Amino acid sequence: MTVRFLTREYRPGLLSGIVTRLTRRWMTTTNKTTVMSFGDGSHGALGLPMSQTGLGFDAYEPTPVPALPPDVSTIAAGHYHSLVVTSQGHVWAWGRNNEAQLGRDPLSARETWNEPQKVEGLSQVKVQAAFASGVISAAIGDDGSLWVWGKSKRGQLGLGKDITEAVLPSRVEALIGQDIIKVSLGWGHALALTKDGKLFGWGYYADGRLGKIGEFFETSPLDSVASKLKSSGENSGSMTEAAEELVLEAIEKEKNMPIVWEPTLIEEVADVEVVEMACGLDHSLVLDRDGTLLSGGSNVYGQLGRVKQDLGLLPVDMSFIPVKIASGLGHSLAICKGTSSDVGVDGLSVVTWGWNQSYQLGRTGPESVPLVVEEFSGETPVSLSGGRVHSVAVTAKNEIWTWGCGRNGRLGLGSSADEVEPMLVECLEGSQVLQAVAGFDHNLILIAE
């Protein structure tokens, strides 16, 4: 649920200057780095030692993750687990392992899941970057190969028909010959971007979240669940019971929903060069070279940012040019140029739309309309990441800003209070923040020493 390009990418054209400049930020090599985490620790995703009560230890401020190599070069957060890649090309993982997303035996002692361990089975490749969803993990080798592990009933592994489990990393053979530079993973769908701008998709393709892949379109039953709950008006107790019943009913219906088991070229963008993409829980954003941003999938929370409700990948209604994009569970974020004169020194600002129940948009105004987050006036954002109901940004000053739901300390501000607009994480003042990523309810930060 975060934005990052591999450093070997080069894209001339309209967006090349901005994209290359933002990307080059992650090229910086240092002798030593530290990974920090904060937020919900109930699944062990923080990588911190257990408390006396078990894995349920929350961190309300960024806290160093022990037992990691000192040369971590990039970080990734799944819904409930964490990944890092070292300069030597090794992947380390910790957190939830019910679906073998750590690359370990899922029957291993649960009390060890919070301990960072090296992922075995990748010795034949030097890993450049890692990505994660709720149930699987993925890694890209320096040869452009894609490797996956975990369990997914919705085909998110991309390993072939009816293959739902890979305890150890397995190569996605359908992409052999493609030079993969980025992967983004939703709840049950996946997107992969090649060096030459081709976009592949696979997994659960209901409601057009993968464009026009598949034999037919069908709206996900879970969309109707969200719609019913939004309009029910019931109290919180009865709403919880109703939600559980509706979700179980919808999941049963989804057993026969459409799945693409192997990566397939997305024809809607086959004639353009894609430069960026991001998957939310059940929606997708795709940015092409000329600055056109497309969206597809669920629009229950207005996360598609467009009036036209047709299924498939269609243009987002916005008057400015996105250069970087990211998705949370049900909200969308973009770094844009051309929004107004009252922006950062590079003319960049943060734009958000979609679900705003816990203020994760960082602004007021219509939720389904892409609008500027005014609090960033005078700042230059360089990366964004979205969680379940919170958002994270890194600026050119090497500062990290957070906003939205503060439960379990997921904003890193020392409290559980929600924040309606972006707040500077002051305890990191003076630190050189290289990267920040959000899982559902936890966060990782990479800091240069």
Side-chain angles (χ1 to χ4, degrees):
M1 291 190 162
T2 189
V3 174
R4 185 181 183 274
F5 276 104
L6 297 195
T7 56
R8 50 199 173 86
E9 173 194 18
Y10 173 71
R11 301 188 179 282
L14 174 63
L15 300 181
S16 64
I18 296 174
V19 171
T20 302
R21 182 167 64 255
L22 295 180
T23 302
R24 188 175 294 121
R25 176 184 178 81
W26 313 119
M27 293 184 184
T28 305
T29 57
T30 59
N31 292 326
K32 188 176 181 181
T33 54
T34 296
V35 177
M36 306 183 82
S37 65
F38 57 95
D40 185 355
S42 60
H43 294 273
L46 300 183
L48 303 177
M50 287 194 303
S51 68
Q52 293 181 350
T53 58
L55 292 179
F57 172 75
D58 298 332
Y60 286 77
E61 291 185 344
T63 305
V65 179
L68 281 174
D71 63 333
V72 171
S73 58
T74 184
I75 55 180
H79 296 173
Y80 304 111
H81 72 291
S82 302
L83 304 170
V84 302
V85 180
T86 70
S87 63
Q88 301 300 310
H90 301 148
V91 180
W92 289 63
W94 63 94
R96 178 184 170 97
N97 194 45
N98 297 67
E99 295 79 21
Q101 55 266 66
L102 301 186
R104 315 176 197 172
D105 185 346
L107 298 179
S108 61
R110 191 175 189 275
E111 58 267 22
T112 67
W113 292 358
N114 66 303
E115 301 171 2
Q117 292 184 19
K118 181 180 173 183
V119 176
E120 303 297 333
L122 289 168
S123 58
Q124 64 273 59
V125 64
K126 183 177 181 180
V127 174
Q128 297 288 295
F131 308 87
S133 69
V135 294
I136 78 164
S137 299
I140 295 175
D142 59 356
D143 58 355
S145 60
L146 177 62
W147 300 75
V148 294
W149 59 98
K151 295 181 183 179
S152 171
K153 296 179 180 179
R154 293 175 174 81
Q156 199 175 42
L157 290 170
L159 296 175
K161 185 171 175 56
D162 296 326
I163 298 178
T164 60
E165 179 178 348
V167 176
L168 294 177
S170 299
R171 185 167 185 177
V172 180
E173 295 184 357
L175 290 173
I176 290 178
Q178 302 293 336
D179 193 353
I180 304 300
I181 61 170
K182 184 188 175 183
V183 170
S184 188
L185 302 165
W187 173 48
H189 69 297
L191 295 172
L193 181 63
T194 68
K195 187 177 181 180
D196 58 357
K198 291 184 291 188
L199 188 65
F200 290 83
W202 65 95
Y204 182 63
Y205 69 86
D207 53 35
R209 68 191 69 181
L210 293 178
K212 294 181 179 178
I213 278 182
E215 298 177 356
F216 61 92
F217 283 162
E218 187 168 344
T219 301
S220 168
L222 289 176
D223 273 7
S224 62
V225 171
S227 298
K228 289 176 182 177
L229 292 176
K230 286 176 70 177
S231 60
S232 67
E234 298 180 14
N235 61 49
S236 60
S238 57
M239 183 178 291
T240 299
E241 295 177 3
E244 291 176 353
E245 183 176 341
L246 287 169
V247 167
L248 288 174
E249 178 183 331
I251 289 175
E252 186 65 27
K253 290 181 180 179
E254 287 200 325
K255 288 182 178 179
N256 297 317
M257 290 299 287
I259 291 174
V260 174
W261 291 97
E262 292 185 333
T264 303
L265 186 67
I266 296 182
E267 296 294 339
E268 285 158 285
V269 290
D271 295 331
V272 300
E273 183 175 353
V274 175
V275 297
E276 178 76 285
M277 84 294 195
C279 292
L281 190 75
D282 49 15
H283 78 287
S284 303
L285 301 175
V286 177
L287 178 63
D288 68 28
R289 166 185 293 285
D290 68 5
T292 299
L293 180 61
L294 307 175
S295 63
S298 171
N299 198 33
V300 168
Y301 302 111
Q303 63 264 51
L304 298 188
R306 52 180 167 88
V307 174
K308 193 171 185 178
Q309 298 300 305
D310 294 16
L311 299 180
L313 293 171
L314 297 168
V316 173
D317 300 328
M318 60 166 56
S319 59
F320 24 82
I321 302 173
V323 295
K324 300 284 280 184
I325 53 178
S327 295
L329 181 152
H331 68 294
S332 303
L333 310 99
I335 296 175
C336 297
K337 63 177 297 186
T339 54
S340 69
S341 58
D342 190 21
V343 293
V345 294
D346 283 335
L348 302 175
S349 59
V350 174
V351 174
T352 61
W353 62 98
W355 196 23
N356 199 33
Q357 177 178 330
S358 298
Y359 317 111
Q360 58 265 43
L361 297 186
R363 61 165 179 80
T364 58
E367 296 177 3
S368 61
V369 178
L371 294 174
V372 173
V373 180
E374 297 295 343
E375 186 66 24
F376 277 108
S377 298
E379 300 289 341
T380 300
V382 296
S383 74
L384 299 170
S385 190
R388 184 199 304 268
V389 281
H390 77 288
S391 303
V392 180
V394 177
T395 70
K397 297 176 183 177
N398 300 111
E399 296 175 336
I400 178 173
W401 296 66
T402 60
W403 62 96
C405 178
R407 186 178 303 170
N408 307 106
R410 71 191 70 177
L411 299 184
L413 300 173
S415 77
S416 58
D418 295 348
E419 295 294 345
V420 300
E421 58 187 28
M423 299 291 292
L424 176 66
V425 180
E426 295 182 350
C427 65
L428 292 175
E429 194 169 2
S431 299
Q432 185 180 358
V433 178
L434 299 177
Q435 192 182 0
V437 296
F440 259 9
D441 308 314
H442 77 288
N443 310 268
L444 299 181
I445 303 174
L446 182 64
I447 293 178
E449 294 190 6

